[in-house]
Amino acid sequence: ISPLTEDDGFMVPHRAGQAGEKGRGIFATEFIAKGTPVLNFRQVATFEDGASIRRFLSKIPRLLACDYLYWAYTEWDEQAQRHFQSVDLDDSALCNDGRNKEDQNLGCDPEGSLSHGDVGCNKYSYATKDIQPGDELMCLYSAFSSGVEGANTLGLGWSADSYDD
């Protein structure tokens, strides 16, 4: 990360709080209009191969390594035609899964991304609908995570039995 910062990637007022059975979540504290950039990806650590992940995990305290393993997700890079693994290092790690497009309110908004010169939503995650104060910000994990299959292509040796989606 250059320059180094401890700022989180949220670009809108928000708060972390209890989200019922889901545990913690992120909530809007002001109205957010559809198409508004909500989150940048500045505080996301990305690893291109399993060896890099193992090296990183060997250098950090065991409890942090466990956090990494719990919160990391594997993605597919369409341009490079390969999987990579990421972990959010800010409040965005608390974004819960909307499970379907009807519940999702945070992700890629094609109109919003075009108006911000962000073709393909590579810079920001956008409000995909109007979000009211107090609404939980909900991602759609299936829009970016490739799960166990992706982790296995990185040589991480995870199995469906040990993976909790």
Side-chain angles (χ1 to χ4, degrees), residues 26-88:
I26 299 293
F27 298 86
T29 58
E30 295 180 7
F31 174 78
I32 305 168
K34 180 184 184 310
T36 301
V38 173
L39 175 68
N40 66 46
F41 303 121
R42 182 160 169 62
Q43 297 291 8
V44 177
T46 299
F47 300 91
E48 296 181 7
D49 56 63
S52 298
I53 294 166
R54 286 188 193 88
R55 262 192 315 278
F56 173 73
L57 293 174
S58 74
K59 306 278 185 204
I60 62 176
R62 181 174 287 180
L63 286 176
L64 290 178
C66 288
D67 284 347
Y68 174 92
L69 293 171
Y70 186 79
W71 293 104
Y73 50 93
T74 306
E75 298 181 77
W76 176 252
D77 182 336
E78 192 65 43
Q79 189 173 12
Q81 293 291 297
R82 63 174 172 75
H83 285 97
F84 63 96
Q85 195 168 81
S86 298
V87 65
D88 300 328

